[in-house]
Amino acid sequence: MKKETICIQGGYTPKNGESRMIPIIQSTTFKYDTSEDMGKLFDLEASGYFYTRLQNPTNDLVAAKIAELEGGTAAMLTSSGQAASFFSVFNLAGAGDHVVASSSIYGGTFNLFNVTMRRMGIEFTFVDPNCSDEELEAAFQENTKCVFGETIANPALVVLDIERFANAAHAHGVPLIIDNTFATPINCRPFEWGADIVIHSTTKYMDGHDASVGGCIVDSGKFDWMAHKDKFPGLTTPDESYHGITYAEKFGQGGAYITKATAQLMRDLGSIQAPMNAYLLNLGLESLHVRVQRHCENAQKVAEFLSQHEKVAWVTYPGLPSDKGYALAQKYMPDGTCGVISFGVKGGRAAAESFMKELKVAIIATHVADAHTCILHPANSTHRQLTDEELIACGVGPDLVRLSVGIENVDDIIDDLAQALDAI
Ligand SMILES: *Cc1c(COP(=O)(O)O)cnc(C)c1O
């Protein structure tokens, strides 16, 4: 099936007389006739449900749809994108291990890696996504367990050369994990370019309606854990906390990674998505292909408008031919990139503030990538504690405005921006 059809029909095929929409199984527990039946589930001898912290049928149907969309072999939902990022790495790396990550990643992911996971004993080396081959090569260590990057970084909007990073990772016998939140599988399927694991903050375009926080992890099933047995003992040697199961042997290349993350990490850390939220996520997925296309069409027109406006100092949008990421975007996302644009208003912090006050269609919100057009001035909100010099040093200048273009009529969005720019 093509991705538009998978958005609607993937993951769930109702049988005769069953509900057309996925059922919401809002139940913590599942009943069994005998304790032998249940014992088989605990031994991972039979598949089935016993407790929603480990698995829930509603969540599994939605995860299966996302796995199909990405072209993967297995997937799981998590309570948030942050939980998905954490699990994706922690499933492979522990204290004493090392990870190579792109320096252009979501701020929350950067904190997770650079502060919280460092405290857990995992080391990170951050590399500029446009670094030289030598610099990339030099980032790897003996104990490197994976490479992490974002298809289009939030908020820097830097496009990652996925193929180059995949080749580097594979040359060192480790998988590439890609956060594909901004591109979505509608615009880019990282597995087709060599990525091994994909994660999402489903809170963004996938849900798409400001309705529910969630995350997802998808495995391509392409990484051969057994060929790198010593690097990944968690997958290739018996798990004593799970009756001595060796995940890579029992569940094969296509199932080992997600089964381990479910049976071990979800069991112990419990970052589950509520079945009701998974249902809402599925509603969002049904229109993902239509919405993403409109987000990109609208954002392209808005970016073109802004780049020609005399009061705008600069525009970053990978769909503009003048953009640094344009060539890579054309390669990886020929049908469109995302709906998020960043730009600078001439006159710096004060001009950006007065511009924001005048907006009526674009709402001020700490969020991106959903149906409603929204805007954020980091210098005045998320990065408020920093001086102008510090802001410039971290790549988020005092004049930077992040605009997430929604799916309203684009003329209304442009008129709104125009009147607010005129009022500066
Ligand atoms: C928002 C976001 C996250 C974190 O997701 P939450 O659902 O907010 O936990 C991770 N990566 C990217 C690219 C994001 O935009």
Side-chain angles (χ1 to χ4, degrees):
M1 288 195 293
K2 306 223 168 22
K3 56 198 171 193
E4 293 81 0
T5 313
I6 299 169
C7 280
I8 312 284
Q9 306 212 359
Y12 172 56
T13 311
K15 297 191 199 72
N16 197 29
E18 285 183 351
S19 65
R20 181 63 205 94
M21 281 305 281
I22 61 166
I24 306 171
I25 310 293
Q26 189 71 42
S27 179
T28 57
T29 18
F30 299 82
K31 172 252 173 192
Y32 288 91
D33 289 338
T34 67
S35 42
E36 285 81 10
D37 288 346
M38 187 171 271
K40 289 196 186 108
L41 302 179
F42 274 93
D43 287 346
L44 299 180
E45 285 300 330
S47 65
Y49 299 94
F50 52 93
Y51 190 50
T52 286
R53 169 149 48 77
L54 279 110
Q55 274 186 294
N56 172 282
T58 308
N59 292 15
D60 281 358
L61 295 175
V62 181
K65 179 180 277 188
I66 297 173
E68 269 184 64
L69 277 171
E70 288 286 6
T73 53
M76 68 195 285
L77 300 187
T78 57
S79 54
S80 66
Q82 286 298 102
S85 300
F86 174 57
F87 278 26
S88 72
V89 173
F90 197 60
N91 205 31
L92 300 173
D97 290 336
H98 171 259
V99 173
V100 175
S102 162
S103 56
S104 262
I105 49 174
Y106 174 64
T109 314
F110 183 77
N111 271 331
L112 168 70
F113 290 172
N114 197 45
V115 180
T116 301
M117 291 182 78
R118 271 195 209 278
R119 282 174 51 205
M120 301 170 81
I122 304 172
E123 279 309 314
F124 290 82
T125 299
F126 294 96
V127 292
D128 186 319
N130 295 313
C131 67
S132 68
D133 288 345
E134 292 70 33
E135 284 167 317
L136 183 54
E137 186 61 29
F140 286 86
Q141 303 179 5
E142 268 304 298
N143 56 347
T144 302
K145 293 300 159 87
C146 60
V147 178
F148 190 100
E150 256 172 66
T151 317
I152 310 172
N154 172 15
L157 302 176
V158 174
V159 180
L160 185 77
D161 191 342
I162 300 173
E163 214 169 17
R164 183 162 89 100
F165 272 65
N167 288 339
H170 297 161
H172 290 271
V174 299
L176 174 65
I177 305 175
I178 291 288
D179 179 339
N180 197 31
T181 298
F182 266 29
T184 83
I186 302 304
N187 283 341
C188 179
R189 299 215 285 191
F191 294 158
E192 291 172 358
W193 302 101
D196 302 284
I197 315 267
V198 157
I199 68 117
H200 283 276
S201 165
T202 61
T203 318
K204 312 294 165 53
Y205 289 118
M206 284 192 166
D207 169 77
H209 297 83
D210 272 337
S212 57
V213 173
C216 183
I217 310 173
V218 190
D219 182 10
S220 67
K222 286 191 201 149
F223 196 85
D224 187 352
W225 308 108
M226 281 311 214
H228 306 282
K229 213 167 178 297
D230 297 343
K231 265 198 196 304
F232 305 104
L235 285 151
T236 60
T237 61
D239 177 2
E240 294 314 332
S241 81
Y242 232 111
H243 321 296
I245 278 176
T246 299
Y247 294 102
E249 273 171 5
K250 189 150 175 76
F251 300 97
Q253 215 169 292
Y257 177 87
I258 293 293
T259 307
K260 175 178 179 288
T262 303
Q264 208 180 60
L265 301 188
M266 207 51 111
R267 178 196 63 190
D268 296 350
L269 300 165
S271 313
I272 55 160
Q273 190 163 136
M276 181 69 207
N277 281 7
Y279 177 86
L280 291 170
L281 167 58
N282 182 59
L283 275 185
L285 289 171
E286 294 203 346
S287 61
L288 184 69
H289 56 301
V290 185
R291 288 184 292 105
V292 164
Q293 194 184 350
R294 176 61 75 86
H295 277 290
C296 294
E297 281 168 18
N298 281 0
Q300 187 69 33
K301 287 183 188 153
V302 170
E304 283 163 12
F305 161 79
L306 289 171
S307 63
Q308 279 151 26
H309 200 285
E310 56 175 19
K311 290 192 180 171
V312 173
W314 55 269
V315 179
T316 300
Y317 183 66
L320 289 177
S322 57
D323 196 84
K324 280 202 295 284
Y326 183 73
L328 286 175
Q330 288 296 106
K331 172 177 174 180
Y332 293 108
M333 294 163 272
D335 298 333
T337 53
C338 68
V340 182
I341 299 169
S342 62
F343 63 99
V345 181
K346 284 184 188 161
R349 187 193 288 258
E353 271 174 34
S354 61
F355 160 74
M356 300 263 298
K357 278 202 188 88
E358 301 297 327
L359 292 167
K360 296 183 177 65
V361 174
I363 55 154
I364 296 174
T366 322
H367 186 45
V368 283
D370 75 83
H372 315 83
T373 293
C374 61
I375 193 157
L376 184 77
H377 180 212
N380 207 21
S381 53
T382 48
H383 293 59
R384 203 181 166 80
Q385 68 283 9
L386 304 189
T387 64
D388 282 9
E389 291 68 39
E390 286 170 332
L391 286 169
I392 291 163
C394 75
V396 182
D399 63 339
L400 185 146
V401 174
R402 186 182 67 181
L403 174 68
S404 176
V405 179
I407 54 175
E408 301 92 342
N409 185 304
V410 70
D411 294 338
D412 288 334
I413 301 170
I414 290 176
D415 287 351
D416 189 39
L417 294 167
Q419 62 83 25
L421 285 167
D422 287 346
I424 296 175

